[in-house]
Amino acid sequence: MDLGLSEEQELLKNSAREFLEKECPEEHVRAMEEDEKGYSPELWKKMADLGWHGLMIPEEYGGAGFSFLDLCILVEEFGRALVPGPFIPNQVCAAELILAGTDEQKKKYLPNIANGTAIHTYAITEPSGRWDREGIEMKATQSGNDYVLNGTKLFVPDAHVADYLHVVAWKPDGRLSTFIVPRTAEGISITVLKTIASDKQCEVVFKDVKVPAADVIDMDDKTASRLRNMATCLECAYLVGLAQRDFEISVNYAKERVQFGRPIGSFQAIQHKAADMVTDVDGMRFIMYKAAWATSENEDSQDMDTAMAKAWCSDASRRVVAHGQQIHGGIGFTKDYIIQLYFRRQKRAELFWGDGDYHRERVAQMLEI
């Protein structure tokens, strides 16, 4: 394992940062909080032109054929810029769920994801809020050649703008499967939830929603594990970028804010906080890249590496944004300051795909302790 980035990866990282600094400034992030869609179709199209939507999709389906590690490098920059919209769930569906399907399903869905004309999202969690198999209670019934879905999915990212929902439910034969459902299908009702991050998480209610058998992907244990690892690593990558930028903003503020006749950054108490922040950020980056590399290379250690990464990134990022707020003082909690945007979005990514407690429990189970 080499944690250093290749020349191509450095180019991807630097070009993404330059693009997002121009196209996704603070003003854009704030505007999307109030926007009904929660994302900019114009920016979405520009990202498609750069090939980002198809970064991990094989070239034969219109993608770039890059690795999962490359995708994590890109998503780290998304966290830094707080890019709003369904990019991460769209990638999760393309990178693992559809690629685990049949050739017909790949030909039907992947090209439109790669060119940016279709948005996919996953619908996994239910009222229990759990991310494991035990939390999935929705069961599909069979009606001729179709399956019928009834039930509720909660915290579905960007369901209101997605073209397709990947609904994880149990088939009558007891197998866990993904049902690809058009958002406009009869029997679906979607409610956008109010969240601390001001993102667009939704409650999706299914009432006698029919799904053709051709749009069902059976998930074996390997596929389910890969789905969890990839989605979890992407959230870790997002948190790394978010925490890095939070640290930079806080240090810059400490250099500029004058109190008692001197910049507050000259006080040892503030310096201690900054030192703790950079230590946490560096630890997050290294453990995230280790997990991303293991998942990208399909290593045997990927389950353990991913669980350790999310446990650390969830808790470390929470410490970083808390220090950032404390360095800014009370003014940091006002909406006029950018730092609160990072504080609020950290909480979403901390909890998605399991918080620190959940993943420490997973590590303990894998260690059999």
Side-chain angles (χ1 to χ4, degrees):
M1 181 186 64
D2 181 5
L3 288 178
L5 302 183
S6 67
E7 184 177 346
E8 292 79 7
Q9 290 169 335
E10 287 284 3
L11 180 61
L12 173 65
K13 184 182 185 73
N14 294 335
S15 62
R17 181 171 301 183
E18 181 180 353
F19 173 83
L20 292 174
E21 284 177 350
K22 177 183 177 182
E23 300 291 342
C24 188
E26 176 188 350
E27 294 77 16
H28 177 78
V29 177
R30 290 180 180 274
M32 290 302 103
E33 285 194 341
E34 307 299 328
D35 186 82
E36 193 175 87
K37 292 186 178 72
Y39 83 108
S40 165
E42 293 78 16
L43 178 57
W44 190 261
K45 177 64 168 61
K46 291 178 180 179
M47 292 193 292
D49 294 339
L50 291 171
W52 290 355
H53 297 314
L55 197 70
M56 242 194 88
I57 294 175
E59 293 181 16
E60 60 186 296
Y61 301 112
F66 281 39
S67 71
F68 177 69
L69 180 57
D70 298 325
L71 180 60
C72 288
I73 292 169
L74 178 61
V75 170
E76 182 180 344
E77 294 304 313
F78 274 59
R80 180 184 178 88
L82 300 182
V83 179
F87 184 83
I88 292 179
N90 197 47
Q91 293 302 306
V92 170
C93 294
E96 184 55 31
L97 288 177
I98 298 176
L99 284 174
T102 64
D103 289 339
E104 290 73 18
Q105 290 167 335
K106 295 174 188 176
K107 292 176 183 177
K108 180 179 179 181
Y109 294 112
L110 291 178
N112 288 335
I113 292 179
N115 63 30
T117 57
I119 297 175
H120 292 238
T121 191
Y122 51 76
I124 299 175
T125 47
E126 299 183 9
S128 68
R130 297 178 60 168
W131 290 95
D132 50 18
R133 287 171 171 262
E134 289 73 16
I136 299 174
E137 298 181 358
M138 181 181 284
K139 296 179 180 179
T141 57
Q142 196 149 12
S143 176
N145 293 325
D146 298 332
Y147 291 93
V148 180
L149 297 176
N150 283 284
T152 300
K153 292 290 185 178
L154 273 180
F155 315 118
V156 181
D158 303 285
H160 66 306
V161 296
D163 297 293
Y164 295 95
L165 309 177
H166 291 241
V167 185
V168 178
W170 298 98
K171 287 175 66 175
D173 60 9
R175 285 187 292 179
L176 193 63
S177 301
T178 301
F179 298 79
I180 306 177
V181 187
R183 172 178 53 85
T184 55
E186 185 178 353
I188 292 180
S189 60
I190 299 175
T191 304
V192 178
L193 305 173
K194 187 174 183 179
T195 67
I196 186 175
S198 295
D199 58 348
K200 306 301 180 184
Q201 299 177 41
C202 302
E203 177 190 62
V204 185
V205 178
F206 299 84
K207 185 176 181 180
D208 297 328
V209 178
K210 291 186 177 181
V211 185
D215 286 329
V216 179
I217 301 173
D218 290 331
M219 297 175 61
D220 56 20
D221 290 343
K222 181 180 179 181
T223 300
S225 178
R226 289 278 294 172
L227 167 66
R228 178 180 58 198
N229 290 340
M230 285 184 169
T232 302
C233 279
L234 291 177
E235 293 296 341
C236 290
Y238 184 92
L239 282 170
V240 170
L242 179 153
Q244 176 68 48
R245 186 60 184 145
D246 190 285
F247 164 71
E248 294 170 2
I249 293 171
S250 299
V251 168
N252 289 335
Y253 180 81
K255 292 177 180 178
E256 297 170 357
R257 175 74 166 95
V258 175
Q259 188 58 271
F260 305 110
R262 54 197 284 199
I264 63 172
S266 64
F267 296 110
Q268 196 172 52
I270 299 297
Q271 294 171 0
H272 286 169
K273 289 186 180 298
D276 288 343
M277 291 172 79
V278 75
T279 301
D280 273 335
V281 171
D282 284 346
M284 289 172 63
R285 180 171 287 109
F286 290 134
I287 201 169
M288 180 275 287
Y289 275 129
K290 172 63 164 64
W293 174 84
T295 302
S296 186
E297 298 297 319
N298 206 19
E299 292 287 311
D300 293 338
S301 65
Q302 61 180 294
D303 288 350
M304 177 70 79
D305 290 336
T306 301
M308 291 192 298
K310 189 57 163 68
W312 177 261
C313 288
S314 287
D315 290 357
S317 62
R318 185 174 69 244
R319 292 193 294 268
V320 169
V321 297
H323 283 319
Q325 292 295 147
Q326 291 161 358
I327 288 173
H328 280 75
I331 198 70
F333 282 93
T334 65
K335 285 202 170 183
D336 291 339
Y337 275 67
I338 188 175
I339 199 70
Q340 50 84 24
L341 295 172
Y342 289 82
F343 183 89
R344 291 190 287 115
R345 278 160 180 73
Q346 182 278 335
K347 181 56 66 177
R348 182 209 66 82
E350 175 191 343
L351 298 177
F352 255 57
W353 292 94
D355 62 2
D357 289 341
Y358 170 75
H359 284 284
R360 277 187 290 274
E361 177 64 26
R362 285 189 62 216
V363 170
Q365 290 174 357
M366 284 184 272
L367 292 174
E368 298 181 347
I369 57 176

Short mmCIF file of all heavy atoms in Angstrom, two decimals, residues 109-135:
data_model
loop_
_atom_site.label_atom_id
_atom_site.label_comp_id
_atom_site.label_asym_id
_atom_site.label_seq_id
_atom_site.Cartn_x
_atom_site.Cartn_y
_atom_site.Cartn_z
N TYR A 109 -28.87 1.40 -17.33
CA TYR A 109 -28.76 2.48 -16.35
C TYR A 109 -27.42 3.22 -16.34
O TYR A 109 -27.38 4.44 -16.13
CB TYR A 109 -29.03 1.94 -14.94
CG TYR A 109 -30.45 1.46 -14.75
CD1 TYR A 109 -30.74 0.11 -14.56
CD2 TYR A 109 -31.51 2.36 -14.75
CE1 TYR A 109 -32.05 -0.32 -14.38
CE2 TYR A 109 -32.82 1.93 -14.56
CZ TYR A 109 -33.08 0.59 -14.38
OH TYR A 109 -34.37 0.17 -14.21
N LEU A 110 -26.31 2.51 -16.53
CA LEU A 110 -25.00 3.13 -16.33
C LEU A 110 -24.68 4.27 -17.30
O LEU A 110 -24.16 5.31 -16.88
CB LEU A 110 -23.90 2.07 -16.37
CG LEU A 110 -23.88 1.10 -15.19
CD1 LEU A 110 -22.78 0.07 -15.36
CD2 LEU A 110 -23.70 1.85 -13.87
N PRO A 111 -24.97 4.14 -18.60
CA PRO A 111 -24.64 5.26 -19.50
C PRO A 111 -25.30 6.57 -19.12
O PRO A 111 -24.68 7.65 -19.23
CB PRO A 111 -25.13 4.75 -20.87
CG PRO A 111 -25.06 3.26 -20.76
CD PRO A 111 -25.46 2.96 -19.35
N ASN A 112 -26.55 6.52 -18.66
CA ASN A 112 -27.25 7.75 -18.28
C ASN A 112 -26.74 8.34 -16.97
O ASN A 112 -26.84 9.55 -16.75
CB ASN A 112 -28.75 7.50 -18.19
CG ASN A 112 -29.39 7.30 -19.56
OD1 ASN A 112 -28.87 7.77 -20.57
ND2 ASN A 112 -30.50 6.60 -19.60
N ILE A 113 -26.20 7.48 -16.11
CA ILE A 113 -25.54 8.02 -14.91
C ILE A 113 -24.25 8.71 -15.31
O ILE A 113 -23.94 9.82 -14.86
CB ILE A 113 -25.25 6.89 -13.89
CG1 ILE A 113 -26.56 6.33 -13.32
CG2 ILE A 113 -24.36 7.40 -12.76
CD1 ILE A 113 -26.36 5.20 -12.33
N ALA A 114 -23.48 8.07 -16.19
CA ALA A 114 -22.19 8.61 -16.60
C ALA A 114 -22.32 9.96 -17.28
O ALA A 114 -21.49 10.86 -17.08
CB ALA A 114 -21.47 7.62 -17.51
N ASN A 115 -23.35 10.13 -18.10
CA ASN A 115 -23.50 11.40 -18.82
C ASN A 115 -24.31 12.44 -18.06
O ASN A 115 -24.56 13.55 -18.56
CB ASN A 115 -24.07 11.18 -20.23
CG ASN A 115 -25.49 10.61 -20.21
OD1 ASN A 115 -26.27 10.85 -19.29
ND2 ASN A 115 -25.82 9.83 -21.23
N GLY A 116 -24.74 12.09 -16.86
CA GLY A 116 -25.40 13.06 -15.99
C GLY A 116 -26.87 13.28 -16.25
O GLY A 116 -27.47 14.18 -15.66
N THR A 117 -27.49 12.46 -17.09
CA THR A 117 -28.90 12.66 -17.41
C THR A 117 -29.83 11.91 -16.47
O THR A 117 -31.05 12.10 -16.54
CB THR A 117 -29.19 12.24 -18.86
OG1 THR A 117 -28.81 10.87 -19.04
CG2 THR A 117 -28.41 13.10 -19.84
N ALA A 118 -29.29 11.05 -15.61
CA ALA A 118 -30.13 10.33 -14.65
C ALA A 118 -29.49 10.38 -13.27
O ALA A 118 -28.27 10.29 -13.14
CB ALA A 118 -30.33 8.88 -15.09
N ILE A 119 -30.32 10.54 -12.25
CA ILE A 119 -29.87 10.57 -10.87
C ILE A 119 -30.46 9.37 -10.14
O ILE A 119 -31.66 9.11 -10.22
CB ILE A 119 -30.31 11.88 -10.17
CG1 ILE A 119 -29.66 13.09 -10.85
CG2 ILE A 119 -29.97 11.83 -8.68
CD1 ILE A 119 -30.14 14.41 -10.29
N HIS A 120 -29.60 8.64 -9.45
CA HIS A 120 -30.02 7.48 -8.66
C HIS A 120 -29.70 7.74 -7.19
O HIS A 120 -28.72 8.41 -6.87
CB HIS A 120 -29.30 6.21 -9.11
CG HIS A 120 -29.68 5.74 -10.48
ND1 HIS A 120 -30.20 4.49 -10.72
CD2 HIS A 120 -29.62 6.35 -11.69
CE1 HIS A 120 -30.43 4.34 -12.02
NE2 HIS A 120 -30.08 5.47 -12.62
N THR A 121 -30.51 7.21 -6.31
CA THR A 121 -30.22 7.27 -4.88
C THR A 121 -30.65 5.97 -4.23
O THR A 121 -31.40 5.18 -4.82
CB THR A 121 -30.90 8.47 -4.21
OG1 THR A 121 -30.38 8.62 -2.87
CG2 THR A 121 -32.42 8.29 -4.12
N TYR A 122 -30.17 5.74 -3.02
CA TYR A 122 -30.51 4.50 -2.31
C TYR A 122 -31.54 4.77 -1.22
O TYR A 122 -31.57 5.84 -0.62
CB TYR A 122 -29.25 3.84 -1.72
CG TYR A 122 -28.39 4.76 -0.88
CD1 TYR A 122 -28.76 5.11 0.42
CD2 TYR A 122 -27.19 5.27 -1.37
CE1 TYR A 122 -27.98 5.94 1.19
CE2 TYR A 122 -26.40 6.11 -0.61
CZ TYR A 122 -26.79 6.44 0.67
OH TYR A 122 -26.01 7.28 1.43
N ALA A 123 -32.40 3.78 -1.00
CA ALA A 123 -33.40 3.85 0.06
C ALA A 123 -33.21 2.61 0.94
O ALA A 123 -33.68 1.51 0.60
CB ALA A 123 -34.81 3.88 -0.53
N ILE A 124 -32.51 2.79 2.03
CA ILE A 124 -32.11 1.65 2.87
C ILE A 124 -32.73 1.73 4.26
O ILE A 124 -33.42 0.83 4.69
CB ILE A 124 -30.57 1.58 2.97
CG1 ILE A 124 -29.96 1.36 1.58
CG2 ILE A 124 -30.15 0.46 3.93
CD1 ILE A 124 -28.44 1.39 1.56
N THR A 125 -32.48 2.84 4.97
CA THR A 125 -32.90 2.92 6.36
C THR A 125 -34.41 3.07 6.50
O THR A 125 -35.08 3.64 5.64
CB THR A 125 -32.20 4.10 7.07
OG1 THR A 125 -32.31 5.26 6.24
CG2 THR A 125 -30.76 3.80 7.32
N GLU A 126 -34.90 2.57 7.61
CA GLU A 126 -36.33 2.60 7.92
C GLU A 126 -36.52 3.31 9.27
O GLU A 126 -35.56 3.87 9.80
CB GLU A 126 -36.87 1.17 7.90
CG GLU A 126 -36.70 0.53 6.52
CD GLU A 126 -37.28 -0.88 6.41
OE1 GLU A 126 -37.97 -1.32 7.35
OE2 GLU A 126 -37.03 -1.53 5.38
N PRO A 127 -37.72 3.32 9.83
CA PRO A 127 -37.93 4.04 11.09
C PRO A 127 -36.97 3.68 12.22
O PRO A 127 -36.74 4.49 13.12
CB PRO A 127 -39.38 3.69 11.44
CG PRO A 127 -40.04 3.56 10.11
CD PRO A 127 -39.02 2.90 9.23
N SER A 128 -36.38 2.48 12.18
CA SER A 128 -35.41 2.10 13.21
C SER A 128 -34.12 2.91 13.09
O SER A 128 -33.38 3.04 14.07
CB SER A 128 -35.08 0.61 13.12
OG SER A 128 -34.36 0.33 11.92
N GLY A 129 -33.82 3.43 11.90
CA GLY A 129 -32.60 4.19 11.68
C GLY A 129 -31.35 3.34 11.60
O GLY A 129 -30.23 3.86 11.54
N ARG A 130 -31.49 2.02 11.55
CA ARG A 130 -30.33 1.13 11.52
C ARG A 130 -29.82 0.94 10.10
O ARG A 130 -30.59 0.95 9.14
CB ARG A 130 -30.70 -0.23 12.14
CG ARG A 130 -31.09 -0.15 13.59
CD ARG A 130 -31.49 -1.50 14.16
NE ARG A 130 -30.40 -2.48 14.06
CZ ARG A 130 -30.43 -3.66 14.70
NH1 ARG A 130 -31.46 -3.98 15.45
NH2 ARG A 130 -29.43 -4.51 14.58
N TRP A 131 -28.50 0.71 10.00
CA TRP A 131 -27.88 0.54 8.69
C TRP A 131 -27.52 -0.91 8.39
O TRP A 131 -26.90 -1.20 7.36
CB TRP A 131 -26.60 1.40 8.61
CG TRP A 131 -26.88 2.85 8.57
CD1 TRP A 131 -26.90 3.73 9.62
CD2 TRP A 131 -27.22 3.63 7.41
NE1 TRP A 131 -27.22 4.99 9.19
CE2 TRP A 131 -27.42 4.96 7.83
CE3 TRP A 131 -27.36 3.32 6.05
CZ2 TRP A 131 -27.75 5.98 6.96
CZ3 TRP A 131 -27.69 4.34 5.18
CH2 TRP A 131 -27.88 5.66 5.63
N ASP A 132 -27.88 -1.83 9.30
CA ASP A 132 -27.53 -3.24 9.09
C ASP A 132 -28.74 -4.01 8.59
O ASP A 132 -29.85 -3.48 8.45
CB ASP A 132 -26.98 -3.87 10.38
CG ASP A 132 -27.90 -3.61 11.58
OD1 ASP A 132 -29.07 -3.26 11.36
OD2 ASP A 132 -27.43 -3.77 12.72
N ARG A 133 -28.53 -5.28 8.30
CA ARG A 133 -29.61 -6.13 7.78
C ARG A 133 -30.80 -6.18 8.73
O ARG A 133 -31.96 -6.23 8.30
CB ARG A 133 -29.09 -7.57 7.57
CG ARG A 133 -28.16 -7.72 6.37
CD ARG A 133 -27.53 -9.11 6.39
NE ARG A 133 -26.82 -9.37 5.15
CZ ARG A 133 -27.32 -10.06 4.13
NH1 ARG A 133 -28.55 -10.54 4.20
NH2 ARG A 133 -26.61 -10.28 3.04
N GLU A 134 -30.50 -6.20 10.03
CA GLU A 134 -31.57 -6.32 11.01
C GLU A 134 -32.51 -5.12 10.99
O GLU A 134 -33.65 -5.20 11.46
CB GLU A 134 -30.97 -6.51 12.40
CG GLU A 134 -30.31 -7.86 12.64
CD GLU A 134 -28.98 -8.01 11.93
OE1 GLU A 134 -28.42 -6.97 11.50
OE2 GLU A 134 -28.49 -9.15 11.81
N GLY A 135 -32.02 -4.00 10.47
CA GLY A 135 -32.85 -2.81 10.43
C GLY A 135 -33.79 -2.76 9.24
O GLY A 135 -34.65 -1.87 9.15
#
